Amino acid sequence: MADILSNSVSGLLAVQRALTTTGHNVSNANTEGYSRQRVSMSAQVPQFMGNGYIGTGTKVDSITRSFDQFVESQLRDATSDSSRLSYIENFASQVTGVLGDTETGIAASTDAFFNAAGDVASNPTDITSRQAFLNQAGALADHFNRVDAQLAQLDQGIGQQAEAISREINTFANEVADLNDKITTAYAQDPNALPNDLLDRRDKLITDIAERINVRVVDDGAGSLNLAVGTGQPLVTANMASQLTTTNAPGGLQVSIDGQSITHRVTGGDLGGMIEAQETLIQPLRSELGRTAMVVAQEVNAIQKDGFDLNGDPGKALFNVGQGDPNNDLMGGSVIASPGNEGAAGADVAITDATLLESGRYVARFDGSVWKITKEDGSGASTTVDPTSTSVTTDIPGMSIDFDSAGAKTGDRLFIDAGLGVAGRITTTDLGPAEVAAAGSVVDSNGDSVSAGSRDNTNIQKITEMGNQGVVGQSTSDFGASADPDALDGETIAGSLSSAVSQAGSVARTAELQGESARAALDNLEARKQSVSGVNLDEEAAKLLQYQQQYQALARSISIAGELFQSVLNAVR
């Protein structure tokens, strides 16, 4: 109806909605994830009065939130990437702390061990020097044990954190599914009148999930947002949420949704950082430490057994790496079946020459007829084993692999790592100072090898010289005792360990640099979102004043309408 009273009442109701919404904005100015809301008004349909159209007041079309879906999508991706890099950066700093520096780290322990061997060489009959050499051997083994145990503990911590994060993701996913249901119901009633606060809450939950794992978000057009990890298994579909689980298996962290593995699709968030930390730090470092420990044990034991002790008796092994009798071969490598294997395939690994072992682990894949062995990182040539003709291959440097293919299924994978965990098992044997085999051998009148004498140092000198020889990761096997030490083309013991420490430092530095860039991008996107969705208290205060004045004017209009009506009544009395 086109009259002053109805027009003023419609305006009063509209302004009342605007005041309420503005107050809601001010109340949530510091609420994380809140998007500023605004009231959209329009003039009502005018009424034709014979000589023209008269306005009938105003109406509230909608209460919408200031929101940019494109910025929100970018923000989710940036949050995922920043969380991944932050985790790796923090984890790498813990790892470098475990490994120590050049003065206190494990490389320093190897230097101390070889220096102690040099002290024995300088005075072969000195019991004190011999005992110090044994003490340094024990300290080196203890350092290997301690570092490997601490790395294993960090790895165990990843598993515990991953379990807690998976529970959080499931909680968030269930709430997203519940909100999908409520928002879809509201959408069906009126697509232009959606519950803004529920939309904000859902977007905040999805960002919280993205902080923990990378997700892809798809709008179904009916009010629901469906979530999937990468391009794979759905996490939330409409009002149904799947269950995400994590398992810290021997081969690394495994992530699955409703039993379906999605580990290879997890590339962001805290979980992505955990998987990357295991792959680039924990597993390679433990493997490298184990490989170096085996070289130390193998080469020092060989030199010891080649010499004679202070009593003229043949030398005994100094180190044991867990195979029982230290005079026997080194222990076998680690073989881990992939959690996704359908069969019961297995393998036994024997170390034939620790100095030939290459860094990194291997993956053996069964294609239904043969095993194909490759480096996990894709480098180097592949080796094929046909179980119908032979189960054993010696084509992998430094090891012999014997496959048990009886229960193998197509697609089964075995991870083969020669050094994983060995550093945690190396120990010294129970030798006395007199049993250090410092002396070399000579041939007596009977043609037998006997001690060259208690003052001879030719054998212990070999251990001293070994500290400067490239015995880790050689390309060929038998240089022999008389070969030129310069022909050894691997790394030194200390060099190999220093390379491992440097690798951890490099990962930490790379994550730090990339993390700074990711945080800068995240901060920029946060600022962009705030410019669109954030509540500006000055602006809201100005609106409150505007609406207050409008409200007062409309109230005065209503009052005038009442006075005019009263005048009409008085005129007809």
Side-chain angles (χ1 to χ4, degrees):
M1 180 177 179
D3 60 63
I4 186 172
L5 180 62
S6 61
N7 285 355
S8 299
V9 169
S10 69
L12 198 68
L13 293 174
V15 171
Q16 192 176 47
R17 295 269 187 94
L19 281 168
T20 302
T21 301
T22 303
H24 186 56
N25 286 339
V26 174
S27 298
N28 288 280
N30 296 316
T31 300
E32 187 178 1
Y34 178 79
S35 298
R36 182 179 73 253
Q37 297 180 15
R38 60 182 181 180
V39 177
S40 297
M41 305 179 194
S42 65
Q44 296 193 101
V45 178
Q47 184 177 358
F48 184 68
M49 302 297 290
N51 58 350
Y53 285 89
I54 304 298
T56 59
T58 187
K59 63 175 181 170
V60 174
D61 289 327
S62 63
I63 301 175
T64 58
R65 57 180 185 151
S66 300
F67 181 75
D68 189 325
Q69 183 61 57
F70 179 68
V71 172
E72 187 70 18
S73 178
Q74 287 185 309
L75 187 61
R76 277 195 297 265
D77 293 340
T79 298
S80 239
D81 195 41
S82 180
S83 294
R84 175 183 66 86
L85 291 169
S86 293
Y87 185 89
I88 296 173
E89 182 182 350
N90 294 333
F91 191 84
S93 66
Q94 296 180 59
V95 171
T96 52
V98 167
L99 296 175
D101 55 29
T102 55
E103 295 182 359
T104 62
I106 193 168
S109 292
T110 62
D111 289 339
F113 170 71
F114 290 120
N115 290 337
D119 292 339
V120 176
S122 299
N123 192 354
T125 59
D126 182 31
I127 294 297
T128 302
S129 296
R130 286 169 168 265
Q131 184 61 57
F133 171 70
L134 294 176
N135 291 343
Q136 289 297 338
L140 177 58
D142 288 343
H143 208 146
F144 271 119
N145 296 163
R146 184 169 64 256
V147 172
D148 187 77
Q150 289 175 317
L151 290 175
Q153 188 174 22
L154 288 176
D155 185 73
Q156 184 180 9
I158 285 179
Q160 294 171 344
Q161 292 177 62
E163 288 181 6
I165 287 175
S166 66
R167 289 193 293 269
E168 290 177 340
I169 292 173
N170 288 331
T171 299
F172 296 151
N174 286 330
E175 190 171 349
V176 169
D178 182 58
L179 289 171
N180 275 344
D181 187 45
K182 294 177 180 177
I183 294 170
T184 300
T185 300
Y187 188 93
Q189 293 174 347
D190 186 351
N192 296 317
L194 296 179
N196 297 311
D197 294 317
L198 296 186
L199 294 172
D200 283 341
R201 175 59 182 166
R202 185 175 65 179
D203 288 331
K204 176 63 171 60
L205 287 168
I206 295 175
T207 300
D208 288 339
I209 293 175
E211 187 177 348
R212 291 157 176 81
I213 191 172
N214 55 296
V215 289
R216 182 171 60 94
V217 181
V218 178
D219 191 336
D220 70 352
S224 290
L225 293 182
N226 299 327
L227 309 182
V229 176
T231 57
Q233 196 75 6
L235 180 62
V236 177
T237 303
N239 62 351
M240 299 293 294
S242 302
Q243 290 297 299
L244 183 143
T245 56
T246 57
T247 305
N248 198 19
L253 194 64
Q254 300 295 315
V255 185
S256 59
I257 293 180
D258 287 345
Q260 182 70 33
S261 176
I262 59 165
T263 306
H264 63 288
R265 295 191 175 102
V266 181
T267 58
D270 291 332
L271 287 180
M274 292 174 181
I275 293 172
E276 190 169 339
Q278 286 184 322
E279 293 177 348
T280 61
L281 288 169
I282 295 296
Q283 188 274 328
L285 284 172
R286 293 189 70 198
S287 180
E288 188 65 20
L289 287 171
R291 181 174 74 134
T292 306
M294 282 192 287
V295 171
V296 170
Q298 174 183 288
E299 297 302 287
V300 171
N301 285 353
I303 294 172
Q304 268 283 116
K305 290 187 284 186
D306 195 43
F308 291 85
D309 63 20
L310 195 59
N311 300 317
D313 296 325
K316 302 174 183 177
L318 176 59
F319 291 103
N320 186 355
V321 288
Q323 184 72 352
D325 184 356
N327 293 294
N328 289 335
D329 292 338
L330 295 172
M331 68 173 298
S334 167
V335 179
I336 301 170
S338 171
N341 286 359
E342 295 182 359
D348 291 322
V349 176
I351 305 302
T352 56
D353 187 346
T355 65
L356 297 181
L357 293 173
E358 298 178 347
S359 61
R361 69 179 181 178
Y362 295 85
V363 180
R365 295 178 175 84
F366 189 66
D367 66 2
S369 57
V370 299
W371 290 97
K372 186 176 181 180
I373 310 170
T374 58
K375 273 290 192 67
E376 189 176 25
D377 60 9
S379 63
S382 62
T383 298
T384 301
V385 179
D386 185 353
T388 60
S389 58
T390 179
S391 63
V392 180
T393 178
T394 57
D395 292 338
I396 306 300
M399 66 177 83
S400 172
I401 307 173
D402 185 1
F403 288 96
D404 177 9
S405 307
K409 300 291 184 182
T410 301
D412 282 358
R413 295 185 300 163
L414 300 175
F415 297 98
I416 301 169
D417 193 326
L420 185 65
V422 175
R425 296 188 289 270
I426 185 172
T427 58
T428 54
T429 56
D430 188 18
L431 296 184
E435 294 179 288
V436 175
S441 62
V442 294
V443 179
D444 63 10
S445 57
N446 296 323
D448 297 325
S449 293
V450 296
S451 173
S454 60
R455 293 187 175 276
D456 184 72
N457 69 352
T458 53
N459 201 60
I460 194 69
Q461 189 63 35
K462 293 179 184 178
I463 295 180
T464 304
E465 294 169 352
M466 193 182 86
N468 297 318
Q469 295 174 352
V471 292
V472 181
Q474 296 176 179
S475 60
T476 55
S477 57
D478 188 13
F479 288 98
S482 62
D484 180 4
D486 293 335
L488 298 173
D489 60 355
E491 288 186 289
T492 63
I493 301 293
S496 174
L497 295 171
S498 295
S499 296
V501 175
S502 297
Q503 177 191 356
S506 176
V507 171
R509 181 57 179 162
T510 300
E512 180 182 358
L513 294 174
Q514 293 180 344
E516 290 175 357
S517 177
R519 283 189 290 273
L522 183 60
D523 290 343
N524 181 54
L525 287 167
E526 287 281 8
R528 287 176 59 188
K529 179 179 179 180
Q530 283 301 310
S531 68
V532 175
S533 304
V535 177
N536 186 317
L537 290 176
D538 291 336
E539 182 181 340
E540 298 302 317
K543 284 185 177 180
L544 284 173
L545 183 60
Q546 174 191 345
Y547 294 144
Q548 179 188 18
Q549 293 173 343
Q550 188 177 357
Y551 192 93
Q552 289 173 341
L554 288 166
R556 181 58 181 155
S557 295
I558 293 174
S559 177
I560 292 173
E563 293 174 1
L564 292 175
F565 185 68
Q566 189 63 43
S567 297
V568 172
L569 290 178
N570 291 335
V572 298
R573 282 179 180 174

Short mmCIF file of all heavy atoms in Angstrom, two decimals, residues 267-310:
data_model
loop_
_atom_site.label_atom_id
_atom_site.label_comp_id
_atom_site.label_asym_id
_atom_site.label_seq_id
_atom_site.Cartn_x
_atom_site.Cartn_y
_atom_site.Cartn_z
N THR A 267 50.31 -35.30 -0.32
CA THR A 267 51.46 -34.46 -0.70
C THR A 267 51.47 -33.12 0.02
O THR A 267 52.32 -32.28 -0.29
CB THR A 267 51.43 -34.20 -2.22
OG1 THR A 267 50.19 -33.57 -2.57
CG2 THR A 267 51.58 -35.50 -2.99
N GLY A 268 50.56 -32.91 0.94
CA GLY A 268 50.51 -31.63 1.63
C GLY A 268 50.04 -31.78 3.06
O GLY A 268 49.66 -32.87 3.52
N GLY A 269 50.06 -30.66 3.80
CA GLY A 269 49.65 -30.68 5.19
C GLY A 269 50.68 -31.36 6.08
O GLY A 269 51.75 -31.77 5.63
N ASP A 270 50.34 -31.47 7.36
CA ASP A 270 51.25 -32.10 8.31
C ASP A 270 51.56 -33.55 7.92
O ASP A 270 52.71 -34.00 8.03
CB ASP A 270 50.66 -32.07 9.72
CG ASP A 270 50.62 -30.66 10.28
OD1 ASP A 270 51.46 -29.84 9.89
OD2 ASP A 270 49.72 -30.38 11.11
N LEU A 271 50.54 -34.29 7.47
CA LEU A 271 50.77 -35.68 7.09
C LEU A 271 51.71 -35.78 5.89
O LEU A 271 52.58 -36.66 5.85
CB LEU A 271 49.44 -36.38 6.77
CG LEU A 271 48.53 -36.71 7.96
CD1 LEU A 271 47.26 -37.39 7.48
CD2 LEU A 271 49.25 -37.60 8.96
N GLY A 272 51.56 -34.88 4.92
CA GLY A 272 52.48 -34.86 3.80
C GLY A 272 53.90 -34.57 4.25
O GLY A 272 54.87 -35.16 3.74
N GLY A 273 54.06 -33.66 5.22
CA GLY A 273 55.38 -33.37 5.76
C GLY A 273 55.97 -34.55 6.50
O GLY A 273 57.17 -34.81 6.41
N MET A 274 55.13 -35.31 7.20
CA MET A 274 55.61 -36.48 7.92
C MET A 274 56.12 -37.55 6.96
O MET A 274 57.19 -38.14 7.17
CB MET A 274 54.49 -37.06 8.79
CG MET A 274 54.10 -36.17 9.95
SD MET A 274 52.68 -36.82 10.83
CE MET A 274 52.47 -35.55 12.08
N ILE A 275 55.35 -37.80 5.91
CA ILE A 275 55.77 -38.81 4.92
C ILE A 275 57.07 -38.38 4.26
O ILE A 275 57.99 -39.19 4.08
CB ILE A 275 54.65 -39.02 3.87
CG1 ILE A 275 53.43 -39.67 4.53
CG2 ILE A 275 55.15 -39.87 2.71
CD1 ILE A 275 52.22 -39.75 3.63
N GLU A 276 57.16 -37.09 3.91
CA GLU A 276 58.39 -36.60 3.27
C GLU A 276 59.57 -36.63 4.23
O GLU A 276 60.70 -36.92 3.82
CB GLU A 276 58.16 -35.17 2.77
CG GLU A 276 59.27 -34.66 1.88
CD GLU A 276 58.92 -33.36 1.17
OE1 GLU A 276 57.72 -33.06 1.05
OE2 GLU A 276 59.86 -32.65 0.75
N ALA A 277 59.34 -36.34 5.51
CA ALA A 277 60.41 -36.39 6.50
C ALA A 277 60.97 -37.81 6.63
O ALA A 277 62.18 -38.01 6.76
CB ALA A 277 59.91 -35.89 7.85
N GLN A 278 60.07 -38.79 6.62
CA GLN A 278 60.54 -40.18 6.67
C GLN A 278 61.34 -40.53 5.43
O GLN A 278 62.39 -41.18 5.52
CB GLN A 278 59.35 -41.13 6.81
CG GLN A 278 58.71 -41.15 8.19
CD GLN A 278 57.60 -42.18 8.29
OE1 GLN A 278 56.84 -42.38 7.35
NE2 GLN A 278 57.48 -42.83 9.43
N GLU A 279 60.85 -40.12 4.26
CA GLU A 279 61.49 -40.50 3.01
C GLU A 279 62.81 -39.79 2.76
O GLU A 279 63.71 -40.35 2.14
CB GLU A 279 60.54 -40.24 1.84
CG GLU A 279 59.30 -41.13 1.84
CD GLU A 279 58.35 -40.80 0.71
OE1 GLU A 279 58.53 -39.73 0.07
OE2 GLU A 279 57.41 -41.58 0.46
N THR A 280 62.94 -38.55 3.22
CA THR A 280 64.14 -37.76 2.92
C THR A 280 65.11 -37.67 4.09
O THR A 280 66.26 -37.29 3.89
CB THR A 280 63.75 -36.33 2.50
OG1 THR A 280 63.04 -35.69 3.56
CG2 THR A 280 62.89 -36.35 1.25
N LEU A 281 64.64 -37.99 5.31
CA LEU A 281 65.51 -37.86 6.47
C LEU A 281 65.70 -39.17 7.23
O LEU A 281 66.80 -39.72 7.27
CB LEU A 281 64.95 -36.78 7.41
CG LEU A 281 65.09 -35.33 6.91
CD1 LEU A 281 64.26 -34.39 7.77
CD2 LEU A 281 66.55 -34.91 6.93
N ILE A 282 64.63 -39.67 7.83
CA ILE A 282 64.75 -40.81 8.72
C ILE A 282 65.29 -42.04 8.01
O ILE A 282 66.33 -42.61 8.39
CB ILE A 282 63.40 -41.13 9.38
CG1 ILE A 282 62.97 -39.99 10.30
CG2 ILE A 282 63.51 -42.44 10.19
CD1 ILE A 282 63.89 -39.78 11.48
N GLN A 283 64.60 -42.49 6.97
CA GLN A 283 65.01 -43.72 6.29
C GLN A 283 66.40 -43.62 5.66
O GLN A 283 67.26 -44.49 5.87
CB GLN A 283 63.94 -44.12 5.26
CG GLN A 283 64.15 -45.48 4.62
CD GLN A 283 65.07 -45.42 3.41
OE1 GLN A 283 65.10 -44.41 2.70
NE2 GLN A 283 65.82 -46.47 3.18
N PRO A 284 66.71 -42.56 4.89
CA PRO A 284 68.05 -42.47 4.29
C PRO A 284 69.17 -42.37 5.33
O PRO A 284 70.23 -42.97 5.16
CB PRO A 284 67.98 -41.19 3.45
CG PRO A 284 66.54 -40.98 3.19
CD PRO A 284 65.84 -41.47 4.41
N LEU A 285 68.92 -41.63 6.42
CA LEU A 285 69.96 -41.46 7.44
C LEU A 285 70.22 -42.77 8.19
O LEU A 285 71.38 -43.15 8.40
CB LEU A 285 69.56 -40.36 8.42
CG LEU A 285 69.71 -38.93 7.91
CD1 LEU A 285 69.11 -37.94 8.89
CD2 LEU A 285 71.17 -38.60 7.66
N ARG A 286 69.16 -43.45 8.58
CA ARG A 286 69.35 -44.73 9.27
C ARG A 286 70.02 -45.75 8.36
O ARG A 286 70.86 -46.54 8.80
CB ARG A 286 68.01 -45.26 9.77
CG ARG A 286 67.37 -44.43 10.87
CD ARG A 286 66.17 -45.14 11.46
NE ARG A 286 66.59 -46.31 12.23
CZ ARG A 286 65.79 -47.32 12.57
NH1 ARG A 286 64.52 -47.31 12.17
NH2 ARG A 286 66.24 -48.34 13.26
N SER A 287 69.66 -45.72 7.08
CA SER A 287 70.27 -46.62 6.12
C SER A 287 71.76 -46.31 5.93
O SER A 287 72.60 -47.21 5.91
CB SER A 287 69.54 -46.53 4.78
OG SER A 287 70.13 -47.38 3.83
N GLU A 288 72.09 -45.02 5.82
CA GLU A 288 73.49 -44.62 5.63
C GLU A 288 74.32 -44.91 6.86
O GLU A 288 75.47 -45.38 6.75
CB GLU A 288 73.55 -43.13 5.28
CG GLU A 288 74.92 -42.63 4.88
CD GLU A 288 75.41 -43.26 3.58
OE1 GLU A 288 74.58 -43.78 2.80
OE2 GLU A 288 76.64 -43.26 3.35
N LEU A 289 73.76 -44.65 8.03
CA LEU A 289 74.48 -44.98 9.27
C LEU A 289 74.74 -46.48 9.36
O LEU A 289 75.83 -46.91 9.75
CB LEU A 289 73.67 -44.51 10.49
CG LEU A 289 73.62 -43.01 10.75
CD1 LEU A 289 72.61 -42.71 11.85
CD2 LEU A 289 74.99 -42.49 11.14
N GLY A 290 73.73 -47.28 9.01
CA GLY A 290 73.89 -48.73 9.05
C GLY A 290 74.92 -49.22 8.06
O GLY A 290 75.72 -50.11 8.35
N ARG A 291 74.88 -48.66 6.84
CA ARG A 291 75.86 -49.05 5.82
C ARG A 291 77.28 -48.74 6.30
O ARG A 291 78.19 -49.58 6.18
CB ARG A 291 75.57 -48.31 4.53
CG ARG A 291 76.51 -48.65 3.38
CD ARG A 291 76.08 -48.00 2.09
NE ARG A 291 76.34 -46.58 2.05
CZ ARG A 291 76.89 -45.94 1.01
NH1 ARG A 291 77.25 -46.63 -0.05
NH2 ARG A 291 77.06 -44.65 1.04
N THR A 292 77.48 -47.57 6.87
CA THR A 292 78.81 -47.19 7.35
C THR A 292 79.23 -48.07 8.52
O THR A 292 80.39 -48.48 8.62
CB THR A 292 78.81 -45.71 7.76
OG1 THR A 292 78.33 -44.91 6.67
CG2 THR A 292 80.21 -45.25 8.12
N ALA A 293 78.29 -48.36 9.42
CA ALA A 293 78.60 -49.23 10.56
C ALA A 293 79.04 -50.62 10.09
O ALA A 293 79.97 -51.21 10.65
CB ALA A 293 77.39 -49.34 11.48
N MET A 294 78.37 -51.13 9.05
CA MET A 294 78.76 -52.44 8.52
C MET A 294 80.15 -52.41 7.90
O MET A 294 80.93 -53.36 8.04
CB MET A 294 77.74 -52.92 7.49
CG MET A 294 76.47 -53.49 8.11
SD MET A 294 75.45 -54.38 6.91
CE MET A 294 74.79 -53.01 5.97
N VAL A 295 80.48 -51.32 7.21
CA VAL A 295 81.82 -51.19 6.63
C VAL A 295 82.87 -51.16 7.74
O VAL A 295 83.91 -51.85 7.65
CB VAL A 295 81.92 -49.93 5.75
CG1 VAL A 295 83.36 -49.69 5.32
CG2 VAL A 295 81.03 -50.07 4.52
N VAL A 296 82.61 -50.37 8.79
CA VAL A 296 83.54 -50.32 9.91
C VAL A 296 83.74 -51.71 10.50
O VAL A 296 84.88 -52.17 10.71
CB VAL A 296 83.02 -49.33 11.00
CG1 VAL A 296 83.87 -49.46 12.26
CG2 VAL A 296 83.06 -47.91 10.48
N ALA A 297 82.63 -52.40 10.77
CA ALA A 297 82.72 -53.73 11.38
C ALA A 297 83.43 -54.71 10.46
O ALA A 297 84.34 -55.45 10.89
CB ALA A 297 81.31 -54.24 11.71
N GLN A 298 83.07 -54.74 9.19
CA GLN A 298 83.65 -55.69 8.25
C GLN A 298 85.15 -55.46 8.07
O GLN A 298 85.95 -56.39 8.17
CB GLN A 298 82.95 -55.57 6.90
CG GLN A 298 83.60 -56.42 5.80
CD GLN A 298 82.91 -56.22 4.45
OE1 GLN A 298 81.80 -56.68 4.26
NE2 GLN A 298 83.58 -55.54 3.53
N GLU A 299 85.55 -54.22 7.83
CA GLU A 299 86.95 -53.93 7.52
C GLU A 299 87.84 -54.03 8.75
O GLU A 299 88.94 -54.58 8.68
CB GLU A 299 87.07 -52.55 6.88
CG GLU A 299 86.34 -52.43 5.55
CD GLU A 299 86.86 -53.44 4.53
OE1 GLU A 299 87.98 -53.25 4.04
OE2 GLU A 299 86.14 -54.42 4.25
N VAL A 300 87.39 -53.51 9.89
CA VAL A 300 88.19 -53.60 11.11
C VAL A 300 88.32 -55.04 11.56
O VAL A 300 89.40 -55.50 11.96
CB VAL A 300 87.59 -52.72 12.23
CG1 VAL A 300 88.30 -52.97 13.56
CG2 VAL A 300 87.70 -51.25 11.85
N ASN A 301 87.22 -55.80 11.48
CA ASN A 301 87.28 -57.22 11.86
C ASN A 301 88.24 -57.98 10.96
O ASN A 301 89.01 -58.84 11.42
CB ASN A 301 85.89 -57.85 11.78
CG ASN A 301 85.00 -57.44 12.94
OD1 ASN A 301 85.45 -56.78 13.87
ND2 ASN A 301 83.74 -57.82 12.88
N ALA A 302 88.21 -57.68 9.65
CA ALA A 302 89.12 -58.37 8.72
C ALA A 302 90.57 -58.07 9.06
O ALA A 302 91.43 -58.98 9.01
CB ALA A 302 88.80 -57.96 7.29
N ILE A 303 90.86 -56.82 9.39
CA ILE A 303 92.24 -56.45 9.75
C ILE A 303 92.62 -57.11 11.06
O ILE A 303 93.74 -57.65 11.20
CB ILE A 303 92.37 -54.92 9.85
CG1 ILE A 303 92.18 -54.28 8.46
CG2 ILE A 303 93.73 -54.52 10.43
CD1 ILE A 303 92.11 -52.77 8.48
N GLN A 304 91.73 -57.09 12.02
CA GLN A 304 92.01 -57.73 13.31
C GLN A 304 92.34 -59.21 13.13
O GLN A 304 93.33 -59.72 13.69
CB GLN A 304 90.80 -57.58 14.23
CG GLN A 304 90.81 -56.36 15.13
CD GLN A 304 91.72 -56.53 16.33
OE1 GLN A 304 92.71 -55.81 16.46
NE2 GLN A 304 91.42 -57.48 17.18
N LYS A 305 91.54 -59.91 12.36
CA LYS A 305 91.72 -61.36 12.18
C LYS A 305 92.93 -61.69 11.32
O LYS A 305 93.37 -62.83 11.27
CB LYS A 305 90.45 -61.97 11.60
CG LYS A 305 89.29 -61.98 12.60
CD LYS A 305 88.07 -62.73 12.08
CE LYS A 305 87.30 -61.93 11.07
NZ LYS A 305 86.04 -62.61 10.67
N ASP A 306 93.45 -60.66 10.64
CA ASP A 306 94.62 -60.87 9.80
C ASP A 306 95.92 -60.69 10.59
O ASP A 306 97.00 -61.01 10.08
CB ASP A 306 94.59 -59.88 8.63
CG ASP A 306 95.56 -60.27 7.52
OD1 ASP A 306 95.62 -61.46 7.19
OD2 ASP A 306 96.26 -59.36 7.02
N GLY A 307 95.83 -60.17 11.85
CA GLY A 307 97.02 -59.89 12.63
C GLY A 307 97.14 -60.78 13.85
O GLY A 307 96.40 -61.76 14.02
N PHE A 308 98.06 -60.37 14.73
CA PHE A 308 98.32 -61.13 15.94
C PHE A 308 98.34 -60.19 17.14
O PHE A 308 98.75 -59.03 17.04
CB PHE A 308 99.67 -61.85 15.83
CG PHE A 308 99.67 -62.97 14.81
CD1 PHE A 308 99.90 -62.69 13.48
CD2 PHE A 308 99.40 -64.27 15.19
CE1 PHE A 308 99.88 -63.70 12.53
CE2 PHE A 308 99.38 -65.30 14.26
CZ PHE A 308 99.62 -65.01 12.92
N ASP A 309 97.84 -60.71 18.28
CA ASP A 309 97.76 -59.87 19.47
C ASP A 309 99.07 -59.84 20.23
O ASP A 309 100.09 -60.39 19.78
CB ASP A 309 96.60 -60.30 20.36
CG ASP A 309 96.77 -61.72 20.92
OD1 ASP A 309 97.92 -62.22 20.94
OD2 ASP A 309 95.76 -62.31 21.34
N LEU A 310 99.05 -59.24 21.42
CA LEU A 310 100.28 -59.05 22.20
C LEU A 310 100.85 -60.38 22.69
O LEU A 310 102.06 -60.50 22.96
CB LEU A 310 99.97 -58.14 23.40
CG LEU A 310 101.15 -57.53 24.16
CD1 LEU A 310 102.01 -56.68 23.21
CD2 LEU A 310 100.67 -56.67 25.32
#
